[in-house]
Amino acid sequence: MTMLRPELRTIADWISAGSRILDLGCGDGTLLAHLRDSRQVSGYGLEIDQNKIVQAIARGVNVIQTDLDAGLTEFESNSFDYVVMSQTLQAVHYPDRLLEEMLRVGREGIITFPNFGHWSCRLQLLAGHMPVTPSLPNTWYNTPNIHLCTLRDFEALCTEKAFHILERTVVDRAHRTSLPMRLLPNLMGEVALYRFRRR
Amino acid sequence: MPDTLPADSVGLIKPQQLAFDIPLELDCGRSLPGFELVYETYGELNTDASNAILICHALSGDHHAAGYHSMEDRKPGWWESCIGPGKPIDTNHFFVVSANNLGGCKGSTGPMSINPAKNKPYGPDFPIVTVKDWVRSQARLADALGIDQWAAVIGGSLGGMQAMQWAIDFPQRLRHCVVIAAAPKLSAQNIGFNEVARQAIMSDPEFHQGHYYEHNVIPRRGLMLARMLGHITYLSDESMRSKFGRDLREGKLNFGFDVDFQVESYLRYQGQSFVEKFDANTYLLMTKALDYFDPAADYDNDLAQALSRAQAQFMVVSFTSDWRFAPKRSKEIVKALLDSQKNVSYAEIEAHHGHDAFLIPIPDYLEVFSTYMNRLKAGA
């Protein structure tokens, strides 16, 4: 069985056996292959990068070449139990619309993104620079990350859209959590994971 | 042809022929009392007959998909890029079958064959055959070869449509279905092009309502025009631009209506050489089979419902510059497969070659194709 990066392990734990999932930006298909092998989960991955598509095909995963910015129009409403999007929200053109699309086609959404409210980002902004951190390693002019947000921003959007947050996990890059992260998640957390649904 | 055959070619191939004497009922309501299919095979069938792959050909294709017929051949089969040892359809592993479709002009029963009822060639009396008819005839071939279930049925363009029809009509008889540069049915524009091609042929004074064999002529000009038109639709604006631009054949304008530009010369050459090797009545039949293809029609015009019968896993491939069967047409197929919860992967290959891309060894294409086919080898 493939080794999962810690973040995917948490996501996998949130997904019940035998369910149907759609993985937005599925990369090389690791998560889908793991869920298929360990809990009889079926579904599809969407990916735009040809090299990753080849890797996903090699894993025996169903992968559909798609530009997420074009929306999820090819999917019928309520056709999945979970729609997962890992480390991709910040790179799409219309994150708000895509979140709505996730909950149109799926019963629940699972999302992870780098927390722009982390203290190291704030310090660099205070010093007058766009943050460059281990979880956001690109400079402002060549980053794919065009819609960064903080935990508070994301939760505000969920309130506005009437999304109900079922679970939240805040971790560092090594996917550990700590007391400070639990007490001050928006300041101390590097990566945020949410499971949410429509109210 | 070089003195030695390339190592990644299936080499010298001898076409084979099988006759079927049980009548074949056709969609048009008529039936063929019997028929023959000419076909080629590459690779070895394994003992449990589980490694067989059926290749379906496109409009002007035939059974000669790979290898050479003689050391004098200038060109190998039409899908040499994808069939052979170590290629995506790896003949070291698979047993590949490629037949000339019914209605063809390369040896399978078609308009040039003798109509037993009249003791002369069928000509225009050959019944209109459909993709479904072809699939039925190919199933007979599978029976005769002892193949209960194909590891995969694979085709590009009209060949992809046959692969799709296989998955719908004989769900238990294929494990994988690879549909390349195809569409779920033709658009008005597609049919329009086909109609112009047919009119070119039928308005040729030497067509004689299709009875031109009896007059010892062929509707040369009409068939040539049809092919020239078709050829433009197989290329992209970009590929024609890069291949010919506005290059002049003689380096100057001639202020006449003969060839000035290289592209004119190329299209005339393509048209003329096609006339030597293809039959006009077959061309008419093939374009009609394309026009009539609509597997959803039998299922309330719902392609998802049609494909819900399928049990195969699907790989769908399109090419960015293909405007004859554009990527959005392949996406219609993918959507229907998603709606019916089938196993499907889809790749849209960046390519400037237009519809012809499916015949061309484009590295990204070969990589996706090989990777998928390797899954079959592993027994997925």
Side-chain angles (χ1 to χ4, degrees):
Chain A
M1 193 173 298
T2 37
M3 279 296 291
L4 281 191
R5 59 174 211 266
E7 180 181 299
L8 297 186
R9 212 177 303 146
T10 302
I11 296 174
D13 288 343
W14 281 349
I15 289 173
S16 43
S19 54
R20 280 176 52 78
I21 84 162
L22 181 65
D23 187 355
L24 311 184
C26 68
D28 62 9
T30 306
L31 178 69
L32 281 165
H34 170 77
L35 290 170
R36 173 197 63 205
D37 298 340
S38 63
R39 17 194 114 172
Q40 298 81 47
V41 166
S42 61
Y44 305 93
L46 306 187
E47 181 53 61
I48 193 166
D49 182 282
Q50 174 103 31
N51 292 324
K52 291 177 182 164
I53 287 167
V54 167
Q55 291 169 30
I57 291 173
R59 284 202 156 81
V61 161
N62 290 321
V63 57
I64 310 291
Q65 185 157 359
T66 312
D67 180 0
L68 291 178
D69 283 327
L72 302 177
T73 46
E74 62 262 59
F75 295 96
E76 296 293 321
S77 299
N78 304 311
S79 44
F80 294 94
D81 296 310
Y82 304 93
V83 181
V84 178
M85 185 160 65
S86 165
Q87 300 288 342
T88 303
L89 182 70
Q90 72 280 359
V92 299
H93 279 144
Y94 306 103
D96 54 337
R97 289 189 215 166
L98 191 54
L99 288 167
E100 283 185 338
E101 278 284 90
M102 287 174 75
L103 291 191
R104 177 183 66 81
V105 304
R107 194 167 48 81
E108 290 186 9
I110 292 174
I111 194 153
T112 82
F113 58 86
N115 174 26
F116 206 59
H118 186 254
W119 60 264
S120 68
C121 295
R122 299 191 195 196
L123 276 183
Q124 289 182 60
L125 274 172
L126 261 183
H129 288 289
M130 277 300 282
V132 177
T133 69
S135 32
L136 290 166
N138 304 96
T139 47
W140 65 272
Y141 51 83
N142 72 355
T143 180
N145 302 321
I146 51 175
H147 283 120
L148 292 156
C149 71
T150 67
L151 271 66
R152 206 167 281 169
D153 292 328
F154 179 78
E155 289 172 19
L157 181 63
C158 285
T159 306
E160 190 189 315
K161 299 275 182 198
F163 297 160
H164 176 52
I165 293 169
L166 299 165
E167 258 178 290
R168 179 184 79 184
T169 297
V170 180
V171 292
D172 66 9
R173 269 173 302 117
H175 215 75
R176 289 168 307 220
T177 187
S178 63
L179 187 61
M181 270 186 254
R182 285 193 290 274
L183 292 175
L184 297 165
N186 199 30
L187 185 64
M188 304 306 290
E190 284 180 89
V191 178
L193 299 89
Y194 285 92
R195 188 161 68 86
F196 58 106
R197 65 183 303 160
R198 269 159 301 187
R199 232 182 258 286
Chain B
M1 179 59 235
D3 295 336
T4 55
L5 296 166
D8 63 353
S9 174
V10 295
L12 283 177
I13 294 296
K14 203 166 165 291
Q16 302 167 67
Q17 192 118 8
L18 268 175
F20 302 85
D21 46 17
I22 301 168
L24 183 73
E25 304 295 327
L26 303 171
D27 279 348
C28 64
R30 294 169 61 188
S31 71
L32 286 173
F35 63 94
E36 289 187 14
L37 289 180
V38 61
Y39 64 98
E40 293 183 358
T41 69
Y42 323 113
E44 299 287 330
L45 186 64
N46 60 11
T47 44
D48 59 352
S50 64
N51 68 336
I53 286 182
L54 177 68
I55 304 295
C56 302
H57 70 71
L59 176 64
S60 61
D62 55 32
H63 53 290
H64 185 36
Y68 298 82
H69 284 162
S70 86
M71 296 302 282
E72 279 72 53
D73 283 2
R74 278 176 51 242
K75 283 184 181 170
W78 57 268
W79 220 5
E80 184 75 1
S81 56
C82 292
I83 303 170
K87 291 179 183 173
I89 302 166
D90 185 353
T91 50
N92 286 331
H93 184 91
F94 296 112
F95 174 69
V96 181
V97 178
S98 170
N100 184 208
N101 285 351
L102 220 48
C105 53
K106 298 299 171 76
S108 290
T109 301
M112 296 169 82
S113 311
I114 299 295
N115 179 355
K118 292 188 175 171
N119 247 335
K120 60 174 194 173
Y122 280 99
D125 300 330
F126 194 84
I128 300 261
V129 283
T130 64
V131 169
K132 284 197 284 186
D133 294 330
W134 285 336
V135 168
R136 273 196 289 273
S137 69
Q138 290 158 354
R140 297 249 185 115
L141 178 62
D143 295 340
L145 296 174
I147 297 158
D148 289 338
Q149 186 185 58
W150 301 101
V153 178
I154 303 176
S157 191
L158 177 56
M161 295 171 180
Q162 292 162 63
M164 223 185 307
Q165 193 75 55
W166 258 98
I168 295 167
D169 290 354
F170 295 99
Q172 279 95 26
R173 297 198 72 174
L174 62 159
R175 294 193 293 280
H176 293 266
C177 181
V178 182
V179 180
I180 304 170
K185 60 184 170 194
L186 263 60
S187 67
Q189 188 193 48
N190 295 145
I191 296 171
F193 276 114
N194 282 345
E195 172 59 5
V196 175
R198 285 189 293 266
Q199 285 300 326
I201 292 169
M202 293 188 294
S203 61
D204 187 316
E206 298 194 310
F207 181 63
H208 299 289
Q209 273 84 48
H211 294 284
Y212 47 89
Y213 315 125
E214 296 162 35
H215 295 79
N216 281 317
V217 290
I218 49 175
R220 188 172 292 275
R221 282 161 291 180
L223 184 56
M224 175 180 156
L225 278 178
R227 181 60 172 179
M228 286 169 79
L229 176 72
H231 209 89
I232 296 171
T233 69
Y234 304 148
L235 304 176
S236 69
D237 185 27
E238 194 188 338
S239 66
M240 289 183 85
R241 201 182 304 232
S242 68
K243 211 165 176 176
F244 312 108
R246 290 176 53 86
D247 294 351
L248 295 164
R249 196 171 64 158
E250 294 170 19
K252 62 180 175 61
L253 298 176
N254 286 321
F255 295 94
F257 295 117
D258 211 342
V259 167
D260 282 314
F261 296 95
Q262 286 291 7
V263 62
E264 298 171 289
S265 166
Y266 171 81
L267 287 173
R268 286 187 191 194
Y269 171 77
Q270 288 295 330
Q272 280 156 359
S273 59
F274 187 67
V275 169
E276 303 307 324
K277 57 190 187 204
F278 211 83
D279 176 60
N281 281 322
T282 288
Y283 202 88
L284 296 176
L285 283 175
M286 296 285 163
T287 57
K288 272 292 173 189
L290 268 167
D291 292 0
Y292 287 178
F293 177 70
D294 183 8
D298 298 336
Y299 302 87
D300 298 330
N301 290 312
D302 180 355
L303 187 65
Q305 198 190 320
L307 285 165
S308 68
R309 296 169 48 84
Q311 293 180 14
Q313 300 189 37
F314 286 79
M315 177 77 221
V316 179
V317 179
S318 71
F319 300 92
T320 51
S321 59
D322 183 353
W323 58 279
R324 189 179 172 97
F325 297 140
K328 70 172 184 207
R329 305 308 313 280
S330 283
K331 283 188 194 159
E332 292 173 30
I333 300 168
V334 172
K335 177 162 181 12
L337 289 164
L338 292 171
D339 288 349
S340 51
Q341 304 192 2
K342 299 298 164 189
N343 284 309
V344 53
S345 286
Y346 169 66
E348 193 171 307
I349 307 293
E350 186 90 37
H352 71 270
H353 313 74
H355 185 57
D356 264 353
F358 82 94
L359 299 166
I360 294 168
I362 300 160
D364 281 354
Y365 167 42
L366 296 186
E367 192 185 15
V368 164
F369 200 174
S370 294
T371 307
Y372 189 81
M373 296 306 290
N374 285 340
R375 241 162 79 171
L376 273 70
K377 289 186 197 172

